[in-house]
Every structure is written in C-alpha cells, then in structure tokens.
Amino acid sequence: MGDIQPLLSVRDLTVTFTTKHGPVRAVDSLAFDVERGRTLGIVGESGSGKSVTSMAVLGLHTGAEVTGSIRLDGQELVGLAERELNRLRGRKVAMIFQDPLSSLHPYYTVGEQIAEHHRVHFGSGRRAARERAIEALAEVGIPDPRRRTGEYPHQFSGGMRQRVMIAMALACEPELLIADEPTTALDVTVQAQILELIARLQEERGLAVVLITHDLGVVARVAHDVLVMYGGRAAEQAGVNELFATPAHPYTQGLLDSLPRLDDSDEEPLRAIPGSPPSLLTPAPGCAFAPRCPRADRAPAADRSRCETELPALGGPTGHPVACHFPAYAPSAPEGVAP
C-alpha cells in the first residue's frame, strides 16, 4: 500500500451483542484498510461477521458494544455522537443494501427519496434537489430519468430498483461506498450490469468501495483486495490476484473449490465445505475452522491439538497474512499436514 493514507482504516474492531443466552462477539479484533479508488471485497459464509462489520462503520449497531478504532479520512467514528454520525452518513459514506424493495419507501416516489438526501445534507431547495435526483438516475443508466423520478419503487424491476439504490447512495457524492450483497437477488445478466456500473462509477469518482459478499466470483470481477472472514475474525487478507493464485487458508481454499468451473465436466459435482459455521455463543479456544478443516483432520494428534486449543494469529512466515497454524504457503508443514 506504500505511503498512501487509507480513506478507511479499521483497527482491532470488536462488536459484541448481549443476548438472553449470553454475549455474542460477532466481530473480533478485525483490522483492514481501504484506499481511495480501490475495492475491498469482504467474503465469508452467513454469520461470518461481514454485514456486522459494515454496519459498525456506519454506527448502526444500537445497543451493541463496539470497541477498537474506525477512522474515516482521519476522523474516529467509534464513540462519535449520533448527530455527528448523521452528518457523515450519506455525505461521506453511503451504503447500498441487499434488498432494494424493502430499503425503498413504498409511499414515496424514487425522485422524492433521492431528493430528500440532497436536501438534508446540502440544504438545497426542492427544485434543485429534484434536478439532482434526475441527474443521479441518469448517471446509473435509468432511461427517461425525468419521468421515472415520479414513479414508485414497485414500478421498477429488481435491477432498476438496485440502480435507484445506487443513485440514492451516490447523490451526495460520498467518498466511501459500502455495498452489502448488492447483486444477491438478481439474475446473472443483471448482476453483471450492476457490478460493471459500480466499477465504472468508482473509476469516474475515485470512490473507495467495500463490497460485502459470499460469492468469490463477484469478488474476482470487481475487487482489488480481499478479506476472508470466518467466525467473526479475519482468516486471510490478500490482493485479489494473489488470493486466487495462492490461497493459504483451508477455508479460502474450500470457498474457491465450491465455485463452478468452466473446465469441470458436467458430471463433476460442486464441492461443499463440510459441517456448519461455528456458534459465536460458545467460541472454541482454538481455530474456529478446526472442526471443518481437512488439513487439521489429517494432522498428527499433537498438531491437531494445537489447532483446537491455540488461536492462530493473523500473519505468516511468508506471503500475505493468514490466520492458520499450517498455511499452504508455509516453507515446511509438519508431516501429515500437507496443504
């Protein structure tokens, strides 16, 4: 990353929820940076802590204990007053949510909803805000934007609603865009269009983007850097090309193996990761992935015991950071623990 100062810098982020069954540490000691003009893809199964992380950046965890540091363009967000956070949301950082139909208000036109953001953050009049809404819809490729600002969310297709959400997020020209599973409910053709749209807008505006997804195929298309999360912690961090070429964590390898490949025969079944994600109510003392890990499963008893009792730090002898006692790129693995 050199000497470039990241727009978003997260250090030792921990998010804990209080439940009737006990505390749940949904994110644990997480750290990452996002530079202007780059996309960080945060990947993992459901329950890995991806969305909790993105919501923490926006300060949307009411009642949760959030510790550590989240600095946006040098400003500390953890502990910031709600009034100050409201000034940043939409203006400095914006979010595209997973389901645009539930995120858009059904009783207001899309133009009114986009214009409201502009009025709140810039104090503009109704006419100026409406013109900005028209411009925003045009920027995201919605035909006849002047007419469609007067239509309601149910009058748009799923892909067009997602474009409306992007227009709303970018109407106030934020510097950081968080996209939480923005293409999950879309077919592959519309998904590709939305991803290309986000990439184009990022290049034109120099945006920093955090893309939350469970799909490594999506990450391969648009991300520059990748953070793989498991059990609320970072499992692996790398540039996208390096991660796909030399995955070091067995969980990352499992995610990659589950992707369909063009060179597989029709009879070749997709390979799933056995087992289920860990319970965050009763976290294991060692590596959270150990019960599902084929590398630990075939290790000698002493090495398996280390996986089950000793929490691996994010690091490694060579290559990119990985939280594994026996990463695939290690110069030498113990006998029986071949990558």
Side-chain angles (χ1 to χ4, degrees):
M1 298 286 182
D3 296 327
I4 299 176
Q5 290 296 316
L7 176 66
L8 178 67
S9 182
V10 175
R11 293 290 180 272
D12 199 29
L13 175 64
T14 299
V15 181
T16 306
F17 295 95
T18 300
T19 74
K20 63 180 181 179
H21 301 293
V24 172
R25 185 170 290 185
V27 175
D28 190 1
S29 306
L30 192 64
F32 61 86
D33 292 330
V34 188
E35 295 178 7
R36 290 176 172 84
R38 294 184 72 85
T39 295
L40 172 69
I42 303 184
V43 188
E45 295 169 293
S46 296
S48 62
K50 310 183 302 297
S51 294
V52 174
T53 299
S54 65
M55 299 289 272
V57 173
L58 290 164
L60 295 178
H61 289 312
T62 303
E65 181 185 4
V66 180
T67 61
S69 173
I70 303 173
R71 300 187 71 84
L72 180 61
D73 201 15
Q75 182 176 9
E76 180 59 60
L77 303 186
V78 175
L80 196 64
E82 185 68 17
R83 183 176 180 180
E84 295 299 318
L85 285 171
N86 283 334
R87 291 176 180 172
L88 295 174
R89 297 178 188 134
R91 182 68 186 89
K92 191 84 172 180
V93 53
M95 189 166 186
I96 305 170
F97 292 95
Q98 181 174 346
D99 182 8
L101 187 58
S102 62
S103 300
L104 293 168
H105 201 295
Y107 298 137
Y108 297 95
T109 66
V110 298
E112 289 173 322
Q113 295 181 63
I114 297 171
E116 181 186 8
H117 283 260
H118 205 265
R119 291 199 305 270
V120 167
H121 287 287
F122 292 99
S124 54
R126 289 185 176 276
R127 180 174 295 180
R130 182 174 184 274
E131 289 301 316
R132 179 66 189 109
I134 294 169
E135 291 174 3
L137 290 182
E139 288 169 358
V140 298
I142 292 181
D144 197 2
R146 185 170 295 276
R147 175 179 63 85
R148 303 218 71 178
T149 54
E151 295 183 350
Y152 293 86
H154 73 272
Q155 295 175 276
F156 290 75
S157 66
M160 284 298 177
R161 281 195 293 266
Q162 195 59 283
R163 287 175 184 266
V164 170
M165 285 297 299
I166 296 171
M168 186 181 298
L170 298 181
C172 295
E173 301 184 359
E175 297 177 45
L176 172 65
L177 178 66
I178 300 174
D180 189 356
E181 301 276 10
T183 61
T184 297
L186 306 177
D187 64 56
V188 291
T189 302
V190 179
Q191 179 186 85
Q193 293 172 356
I194 295 299
L195 292 175
E196 289 169 4
L197 172 62
I198 293 174
R200 175 177 64 79
L201 292 171
Q202 178 191 43
E203 184 176 355
E204 292 174 357
R205 300 185 178 204
L207 286 169
V209 176
V210 176
L211 176 66
I212 309 294
T213 182
H214 64 277
D215 189 344
L216 276 170
V218 169
V219 167
R221 290 181 64 99
V222 298
H224 301 95
D225 306 290
V226 188
L227 166 62
V228 181
M229 291 187 67
Y230 187 79
R233 298 180 63 90
E236 188 164 4
Q237 291 178 283
V240 65
N241 293 333
E242 185 177 6
L243 186 92
F244 277 77
T246 57
H249 198 287
Y251 178 60
T252 307
Q253 291 180 319
L255 292 176
L256 289 170
D257 288 342
S258 68
L259 289 174
R261 297 174 56 94
L262 293 177
D263 55 356
D264 282 344
S265 66
D266 293 339
E267 295 79 19
E268 184 74 19
L270 292 177
R271 287 160 286 186
I273 301 175
S276 301
S279 168
L280 299 180
L281 271 171
T282 55
C287 175
F289 190 62
R292 307 172 71 186
C293 180
R295 200 175 299 166
D297 190 50
R298 61 176 179 257
D303 295 318
R304 179 172 178 81
S305 175
R306 183 183 179 195
C307 292
E308 293 173 343
T309 60
E310 183 181 333
L311 185 67
L314 187 68
T318 61
H320 54 265
V322 57
C324 180
H325 294 304
F326 309 113
Y329 59 60
S332 60
E335 184 179 352
V337 195

